[in-house]
Amino acid sequence: MYKKSKEAFKNSCEVIPGGVNSPVRAFKSVNCDPVFFESGKGSKLYDIDGNEYIDCVSSWGPLIFGHSDRETISSINLSSEKGTSYGAPTLIETEMAKKIIEMVPSIESVRMVNSGTEATMSAIRLARGFTNKELIIKFAGNYHGHGDSFLIKAGSGALTLGLPDSPGVTKNIAKDTLIAKHNDYKSVEEILEKNKDKVAAIIIEPIAGNMGLVPPNKKFLNQLKELSTKNKCLLIFDEVMTGFRVAKGGAQEIYNVHPDITTLGKVIGGGLPVGAYGGRKDIMNFLAPKGPVYQAGTLSGNPLAMNAGLSVLNRLNSDIFENLEKISSKIHSGFIKNIEETNTKAIINRVGSMMTLFFTDSDRVENFDDALNCDTDQYARYFKNMLDMGIYLPPSQYECCFFSTALSDGDINKIIESNKIALKNLQ
Ligand SMILES: *Cc1c(COP(=O)(O)O)cnc(C)c1O
């Protein structure tokens, strides 16, 4: 069934480290070899062995309208006919900026970059430059791309100094990142008290999606806003995953909390490599060439990427989000029924079209420790079983499903039916 993919993986491992260009793709945490894809159409993915899958990952979020969406493709084609890059200003960049400002409540000015990683790295440099302070606070289990400052784990206590998560991140960089406990504002308050007037920014995934989906507890984001204002540090919402995905204006629209800086990615490029960061005008004006904080990019604001992204953003109205909610809540309630009927120890976290099924005997997953308690072996078996039935899920317990508007009622029923069989098979 996966003969060609197996062969392809053997070949890619000869020339690409670990055979992949981004680690999760190697399927390591689900204990099997990765599938190599050839094409996608609507809700379906096709691998090189000719297997068809219903896609529940949507390229980790960007593909709101499913694969090879006509409008996205034709906007890319039209744009490419005129040239692929100028390294000079174009009108579409202003159009993109205006669109983002119109959609995201707290953004008054915005800079385009090429990935989410670049957006978060640049955002903390800007925060440090603007506040003239050096430390940042991040939360255990939050992912902000692979910038050195973010690859820091909690250590034993929530308030200990960070230790590098990866060789190559120096101790000196790691010590400038302080780790707080997700959904626990007291842990943030304590860090701020111990490091008075030294913290430049608090960065958070307002709806965390990189330890599986973990929504914020009631008031948590408001409390962070209060703490950051009181301590004269900036609040950064990393909405690379949630921006234009959970609502038109992202998580900040849903919870009505406005950060000082927002980072964006994924959906913003409609499947092409784009990131952005924006926020209060007085802060953004600190960037070169207007201000002293340097940040640049040869391909930033690339016309193909801007056109692809805008073709998606321009269509994101309330109907689309209602539709996404309808699709996602059907799958959600179908799964809940299956979990109950099969007596599986599992719970589901969901916000809009982002959802994670956690295999746990606890009744909640609200921080990194809770997430680490999940049964990842069980997830691995569940994943493989679903894959064999033609349902493509994220290849890790610590990721979300992202549903697209391309899912038909037939697709939804097949996802729910397969889930029931897979849960039964686990017993
Ligand atoms: C995906 C992601 C990033 C990194 O974006 P890349 O485009 O992969 O560099 C940063 N933050 C969050 C919250 C993400 O989900």
Side-chain angles (χ1 to χ4, degrees):
M1 189 177 177
Y2 306 110
K3 194 163 167 277
K4 287 185 181 165
S5 278
K6 274 193 190 312
E7 188 65 30
F9 189 50
K10 243 173 47 205
N11 290 335
S12 70
C13 283
E14 297 289 320
V15 287
I16 301 174
V20 291
N21 282 313
S22 195
V24 202
R25 294 180 198 170
F27 281 25
K28 266 197 159 167
S29 58
V30 286
N31 312 321
C32 57
D33 280 348
V35 170
F36 278 57
F37 290 110
E38 186 162 78
S39 67
K41 180 95 194 126
S43 61
K44 306 295 192 317
L45 273 170
Y46 300 90
D47 72 14
I48 57 174
D49 286 282
N51 300 308
E52 179 184 279
Y53 307 88
I54 299 172
D55 185 15
C56 298
V57 182
S58 304
S59 186
W60 303 103
L63 308 179
I64 297 262
F65 300 110
H67 292 273
S68 45
D69 164 63
R70 275 332 314 158
E71 270 192 55
T72 312
I73 303 276
S74 72
S75 68
I76 295 171
N77 287 345
L78 277 174
S79 176
S80 67
E81 289 295 330
K82 298 189 209 166
T84 52
S85 179
Y86 315 107
T90 54
L91 291 175
I92 190 135
E93 291 161 88
T94 310
E95 202 183 317
M96 178 57 112
K98 282 187 171 163
K99 189 71 199 168
I100 295 168
I101 290 164
E102 175 201 313
M103 293 177 80
V104 186
S106 68
I107 296 185
E108 298 171 350
S109 171
V110 59
R111 171 66 60 84
M112 303 306 301
V113 291
N114 304 292
S115 68
T117 294
E118 225 186 301
T120 53
M121 279 169 26
S122 310
I124 56 162
R125 182 185 306 140
L126 175 60
R128 285 168 164 156
F130 182 78
T131 58
N132 201 20
K133 302 178 198 176
E134 298 206 338
L135 302 179
I136 60 161
I137 296 176
K138 82 173 271 289
F139 293 86
N142 280 204
Y143 178 71
H144 303 294
H146 65 84
D148 284 359
S149 303
F150 301 117
L151 294 181
I152 319 292
K153 66 184 163 194
S156 48
L159 306 176
T160 50
L161 284 183
L163 291 172
D165 242 358
S166 162
V169 175
T170 66
K171 287 192 204 77
N172 269 333
I173 287 179
K175 77 174 176 28
D176 288 336
T177 302
L178 308 171
I179 306 296
K181 191 169 173 190
H182 199 80
N183 270 326
D184 179 355
Y185 87 96
K186 282 214 154 63
S187 71
V188 183
E189 198 169 38
E190 274 176 52
I191 293 175
L192 285 166
E193 267 165 26
K194 277 195 184 154
N195 298 278
K196 260 209 163 341
D197 301 320
K198 289 188 192 148
V199 175
I202 303 167
I203 184 165
I204 184 161
E205 288 184 72
I207 298 166
N210 289 290
M211 47 179 156
L213 185 92
V214 177
N217 287 347
K218 209 166 173 256
K219 293 269 178 264
F220 179 56
L221 298 175
N222 300 82
Q223 287 160 338
L224 291 184
K225 177 75 187 179
E226 279 166 28
L227 282 176
S228 69
T229 309
K230 194 172 134 204
N231 289 277
K232 296 194 172 59
C233 63
L234 302 184
L235 181 61
I236 304 174
F237 276 5
D238 181 356
E239 299 228 40
V240 168
M241 196 180 259
T242 51
F244 318 111
R245 176 39 90 170
V246 293
K248 249 176 98 169
Q252 58 193 272
E253 179 190 309
I254 297 182
Y255 298 99
N256 195 26
V257 176
H258 294 186
D260 301 295
I261 301 176
T262 301
T263 56
L264 297 163
K266 299 190 169 101
V267 178
I268 205 176
L272 265 63
V274 185
Y277 61 113
R280 269 167 42 197
K281 214 171 214 165
D282 59 324
I283 299 172
M284 294 307 289
N285 281 345
F286 238 68
L287 283 176
K290 180 104 178 149
V293 174
Y294 195 72
Q295 184 269 310
T298 303
L299 292 173
S300 294
N302 172 269
L304 266 60
M306 294 301 99
N307 275 296
L310 266 173
S311 86
V312 172
L313 299 192
N314 282 334
R315 279 178 284 161
L316 295 182
N317 55 32
S318 46
D319 289 351
I320 300 292
F321 287 100
E322 269 168 37
N323 191 12
L324 281 173
E325 174 60 29
K326 214 167 72 196
I327 289 166
S328 311
S329 69
K330 266 190 207 159
I331 298 172
H332 186 173
S333 49
F335 279 22
I336 292 284
K337 198 160 154 258
N338 294 341
I339 288 171
E340 281 166 4
E341 282 181 18
T342 55
N343 274 320
T344 306
K345 291 196 172 93
I347 61 158
I348 289 176
N349 279 354
R350 177 175 76 88
V351 178
S353 56
M354 292 169 61
M355 183 176 111
T356 299
L357 187 163
F358 292 101
F359 288 100
T360 176
D361 43 21
S362 171
D363 61 349
R364 75 188 70 162
V365 175
E366 58 180 38
N367 59 43
F368 196 37
D369 291 336
D370 296 346
L372 289 179
N373 262 330
C374 293
D375 187 340
T376 51
D377 287 338
Q378 205 167 22
Y379 185 86
R381 281 184 286 137
Y382 168 70
F383 168 86
K384 185 65 173 42
N385 204 194
M386 289 291 269
L387 189 76
D388 292 345
M389 286 187 280
I391 313 291
Y392 185 63
L393 297 176
S396 161
Q397 170 72 92
Y398 302 120
E399 304 283 355
C400 307
C401 287
F402 297 88
F403 301 118
S404 78
T405 59
L407 291 168
S408 66
D409 282 340
D411 293 331
I412 295 170
N413 289 338
K414 182 163 180 210
I415 294 169
I416 296 172
E417 272 308 301
S418 307
N419 169 264
K420 188 168 178 175
I421 296 168
L423 293 183
K424 268 192 192 147
N425 287 344
L426 285 175
Q427 287 163 354

PDB file of all heavy atoms in Angstrom, residues 29-31 359 371-372 374-381 397-398:
ATOM      1  N   SER A  29       7.016  10.372  15.499  1.00  0.00           N
ATOM      2  CA  SER A  29       6.269  10.199  16.743  1.00  0.00           C
ATOM      3  C   SER A  29       5.035   9.318  16.549  1.00  0.00           C
ATOM      4  O   SER A  29       4.288   9.082  17.488  1.00  0.00           O
ATOM      5  CB  SER A  29       5.903  11.553  17.361  1.00  0.00           C
ATOM      6  OG  SER A  29       5.163  12.307  16.464  1.00  0.00           O
ATOM      7  N   VAL A  30       4.788   8.840  15.324  1.00  0.00           N
ATOM      8  CA  VAL A  30       3.723   7.846  15.138  1.00  0.00           C
ATOM      9  C   VAL A  30       4.313   6.510  14.659  1.00  0.00           C
ATOM     10  O   VAL A  30       3.601   5.633  14.158  1.00  0.00           O
ATOM     11  CB  VAL A  30       2.616   8.340  14.181  1.00  0.00           C
ATOM     12  CG1 VAL A  30       1.748   9.375  14.874  1.00  0.00           C
ATOM     13  CG2 VAL A  30       3.197   8.930  12.899  1.00  0.00           C
ATOM     14  N   ASN A  31       5.623   6.366  14.834  1.00  0.00           N
ATOM     15  CA  ASN A  31       6.314   5.091  14.609  1.00  0.00           C
ATOM     16  C   ASN A  31       6.075   4.444  13.249  1.00  0.00           C
ATOM     17  O   ASN A  31       5.925   3.234  13.151  1.00  0.00           O
ATOM     18  CB  ASN A  31       5.936   4.046  15.682  1.00  0.00           C
ATOM     19  CG  ASN A  31       6.016   4.607  17.078  1.00  0.00           C
ATOM     20  OD1 ASN A  31       6.926   5.384  17.373  1.00  0.00           O
ATOM     21  ND2 ASN A  31       5.080   4.249  17.926  1.00  0.00           N
ATOM     22  N   PHE A 359      -5.501  11.367  23.927  1.00  0.00           N
ATOM     23  CA  PHE A 359      -5.703  10.111  24.645  1.00  0.00           C
ATOM     24  C   PHE A 359      -5.196  10.293  26.072  1.00  0.00           C
ATOM     25  O   PHE A 359      -3.995  10.255  26.335  1.00  0.00           O
ATOM     26  CB  PHE A 359      -4.953   8.965  23.955  1.00  0.00           C
ATOM     27  CG  PHE A 359      -5.607   8.562  22.667  1.00  0.00           C
ATOM     28  CD1 PHE A 359      -5.106   9.000  21.445  1.00  0.00           C
ATOM     29  CD2 PHE A 359      -6.739   7.767  22.671  1.00  0.00           C
ATOM     30  CE1 PHE A 359      -5.720   8.650  20.251  1.00  0.00           C
ATOM     31  CE2 PHE A 359      -7.361   7.403  21.482  1.00  0.00           C
ATOM     32  CZ  PHE A 359      -6.860   7.843  20.270  1.00  0.00           C
ATOM     33  N   ALA A 371      -0.634  17.883  28.743  1.00  0.00           N
ATOM     34  CA  ALA A 371      -0.422  17.326  27.397  1.00  0.00           C
ATOM     35  C   ALA A 371       0.578  16.179  27.449  1.00  0.00           C
ATOM     36  O   ALA A 371       0.390  15.139  26.810  1.00  0.00           O
ATOM     37  CB  ALA A 371       0.056  18.420  26.445  1.00  0.00           C
ATOM     38  N   LEU A 372       1.642  16.353  28.263  1.00  0.00           N
ATOM     39  CA  LEU A 372       2.679  15.315  28.339  1.00  0.00           C
ATOM     40  C   LEU A 372       2.172  14.024  28.980  1.00  0.00           C
ATOM     41  O   LEU A 372       2.778  12.971  28.840  1.00  0.00           O
ATOM     42  CB  LEU A 372       3.895  15.837  29.117  1.00  0.00           C
ATOM     43  CG  LEU A 372       4.719  16.893  28.390  1.00  0.00           C
ATOM     44  CD1 LEU A 372       5.884  17.359  29.250  1.00  0.00           C
ATOM     45  CD2 LEU A 372       5.234  16.381  27.052  1.00  0.00           C
ATOM     46  N   CYS A 374      -0.461  12.512  28.082  1.00  0.00           N
ATOM     47  CA  CYS A 374      -1.264  11.749  27.126  1.00  0.00           C
ATOM     48  C   CYS A 374      -0.519  10.506  26.660  1.00  0.00           C
ATOM     49  O   CYS A 374       0.700  10.433  26.697  1.00  0.00           O
ATOM     50  CB  CYS A 374      -1.630  12.626  25.934  1.00  0.00           C
ATOM     51  SG  CYS A 374      -2.732  13.939  26.407  1.00  0.00           S
ATOM     52  N   ASP A 375      -1.304   9.533  26.189  1.00  0.00           N
ATOM     53  CA  ASP A 375      -0.757   8.257  25.743  1.00  0.00           C
ATOM     54  C   ASP A 375      -0.381   8.357  24.261  1.00  0.00           C
ATOM     55  O   ASP A 375      -1.198   8.135  23.376  1.00  0.00           O
ATOM     56  CB  ASP A 375      -1.820   7.175  25.972  1.00  0.00           C
ATOM     57  CG  ASP A 375      -1.283   5.782  25.704  1.00  0.00           C
ATOM     58  OD1 ASP A 375      -0.252   5.662  25.006  1.00  0.00           O
ATOM     59  OD2 ASP A 375      -1.898   4.821  26.191  1.00  0.00           O
ATOM     60  N   THR A 376       0.887   8.683  24.019  1.00  0.00           N
ATOM     61  CA  THR A 376       1.310   8.920  22.632  1.00  0.00           C
ATOM     62  C   THR A 376       1.398   7.619  21.825  1.00  0.00           C
ATOM     63  O   THR A 376       1.257   7.637  20.611  1.00  0.00           O
ATOM     64  CB  THR A 376       2.677   9.640  22.589  1.00  0.00           C
ATOM     65  OG1 THR A 376       3.591   8.928  23.412  1.00  0.00           O
ATOM     66  CG2 THR A 376       2.557  11.066  23.097  1.00  0.00           C
ATOM     67  N   ASP A 377       1.614   6.487  22.517  1.00  0.00           N
ATOM     68  CA  ASP A 377       1.618   5.200  21.794  1.00  0.00           C
ATOM     69  C   ASP A 377       0.231   4.904  21.240  1.00  0.00           C
ATOM     70  O   ASP A 377       0.086   4.422  20.116  1.00  0.00           O
ATOM     71  CB  ASP A 377       2.038   4.052  22.726  1.00  0.00           C
ATOM     72  CG  ASP A 377       3.526   4.104  23.022  1.00  0.00           C
ATOM     73  OD1 ASP A 377       4.261   4.729  22.217  1.00  0.00           O
ATOM     74  OD2 ASP A 377       3.945   3.554  24.045  1.00  0.00           O
ATOM     75  N   GLN A 378      -0.765   5.216  22.048  1.00  0.00           N
ATOM     76  CA  GLN A 378      -2.132   4.999  21.590  1.00  0.00           C
ATOM     77  C   GLN A 378      -2.441   5.910  20.399  1.00  0.00           C
ATOM     78  O   GLN A 378      -3.061   5.488  19.426  1.00  0.00           O
ATOM     79  CB  GLN A 378      -3.101   5.250  22.737  1.00  0.00           C
ATOM     80  CG  GLN A 378      -4.395   4.502  22.539  1.00  0.00           C
ATOM     81  CD  GLN A 378      -5.254   4.484  23.792  1.00  0.00           C
ATOM     82  OE1 GLN A 378      -5.115   5.323  24.674  1.00  0.00           O
ATOM     83  NE2 GLN A 378      -6.156   3.534  23.858  1.00  0.00           N
ATOM     84  N   TYR A 379      -1.976   7.158  20.499  1.00  0.00           N
ATOM     85  CA  TYR A 379      -2.189   8.062  19.360  1.00  0.00           C
ATOM     86  C   TYR A 379      -1.538   7.506  18.101  1.00  0.00           C
ATOM     87  O   TYR A 379      -2.118   7.555  17.018  1.00  0.00           O
ATOM     88  CB  TYR A 379      -1.667   9.482  19.635  1.00  0.00           C
ATOM     89  CG  TYR A 379      -2.016  10.409  18.476  1.00  0.00           C
ATOM     90  CD1 TYR A 379      -3.251  11.054  18.429  1.00  0.00           C
ATOM     91  CD2 TYR A 379      -1.158  10.569  17.393  1.00  0.00           C
ATOM     92  CE1 TYR A 379      -3.613  11.845  17.351  1.00  0.00           C
ATOM     93  CE2 TYR A 379      -1.511  11.357  16.302  1.00  0.00           C
ATOM     94  CZ  TYR A 379      -2.740  11.993  16.296  1.00  0.00           C
ATOM     95  OH  TYR A 379      -3.099  12.755  15.212  1.00  0.00           O
ATOM     96  N   ALA A 380      -0.318   6.961  18.249  1.00  0.00           N
ATOM     97  CA  ALA A 380       0.411   6.426  17.095  1.00  0.00           C
ATOM     98  C   ALA A 380      -0.392   5.315  16.406  1.00  0.00           C
ATOM     99  O   ALA A 380      -0.511   5.279  15.177  1.00  0.00           O
ATOM    100  CB  ALA A 380       1.780   5.913  17.525  1.00  0.00           C
ATOM    101  N   ARG A 381      -0.973   4.416  17.225  1.00  0.00           N
ATOM    102  CA  ARG A 381      -1.756   3.316  16.642  1.00  0.00           C
ATOM    103  C   ARG A 381      -3.032   3.846  15.985  1.00  0.00           C
ATOM    104  O   ARG A 381      -3.430   3.406  14.916  1.00  0.00           O
ATOM    105  CB  ARG A 381      -2.083   2.276  17.721  1.00  0.00           C
ATOM    106  CG  ARG A 381      -0.886   1.349  18.004  1.00  0.00           C
ATOM    107  CD  ARG A 381      -1.230   0.271  19.003  1.00  0.00           C
ATOM    108  NE  ARG A 381      -1.333   0.815  20.352  1.00  0.00           N
ATOM    109  CZ  ARG A 381      -2.290   0.505  21.223  1.00  0.00           C
ATOM    110  NH1 ARG A 381      -3.247  -0.334  20.898  1.00  0.00           N
ATOM    111  NH2 ARG A 381      -2.290   1.041  22.424  1.00  0.00           N
ATOM    112  N   GLN A 397       0.587  13.416  18.410  1.00  0.00           N
ATOM    113  CA  GLN A 397      -0.437  13.749  19.398  1.00  0.00           C
ATOM    114  C   GLN A 397      -0.433  15.246  19.706  1.00  0.00           C
ATOM    115  O   GLN A 397      -1.445  15.825  20.079  1.00  0.00           O
ATOM    116  CB  GLN A 397      -0.176  12.945  20.688  1.00  0.00           C
ATOM    117  CG  GLN A 397      -1.010  13.336  21.895  1.00  0.00           C
ATOM    118  CD  GLN A 397      -2.471  12.928  21.793  1.00  0.00           C
ATOM    119  OE1 GLN A 397      -2.880  11.862  22.223  1.00  0.00           O
ATOM    120  NE2 GLN A 397      -3.293  13.791  21.205  1.00  0.00           N
ATOM    121  N   TYR A 398       0.729  15.888  19.519  1.00  0.00           N
ATOM    122  CA  TYR A 398       0.862  17.287  19.932  1.00  0.00           C
ATOM    123  C   TYR A 398       0.653  18.285  18.803  1.00  0.00           C
ATOM    124  O   TYR A 398       1.334  19.309  18.714  1.00  0.00           O
ATOM    125  CB  TYR A 398       2.210  17.499  20.622  1.00  0.00           C
ATOM    126  CG  TYR A 398       2.354  16.592  21.813  1.00  0.00           C
ATOM    127  CD1 TYR A 398       3.370  15.662  21.914  1.00  0.00           C
ATOM    128  CD2 TYR A 398       1.406  16.653  22.834  1.00  0.00           C
ATOM    129  CE1 TYR A 398       3.464  14.814  22.997  1.00  0.00           C
ATOM    130  CE2 TYR A 398       1.488  15.807  23.924  1.00  0.00           C
ATOM    131  CZ  TYR A 398       2.509  14.884  23.999  1.00  0.00           C
ATOM    132  OH  TYR A 398       2.585  14.041  25.080  1.00  0.00           O
TER     133      TYR A 398
END
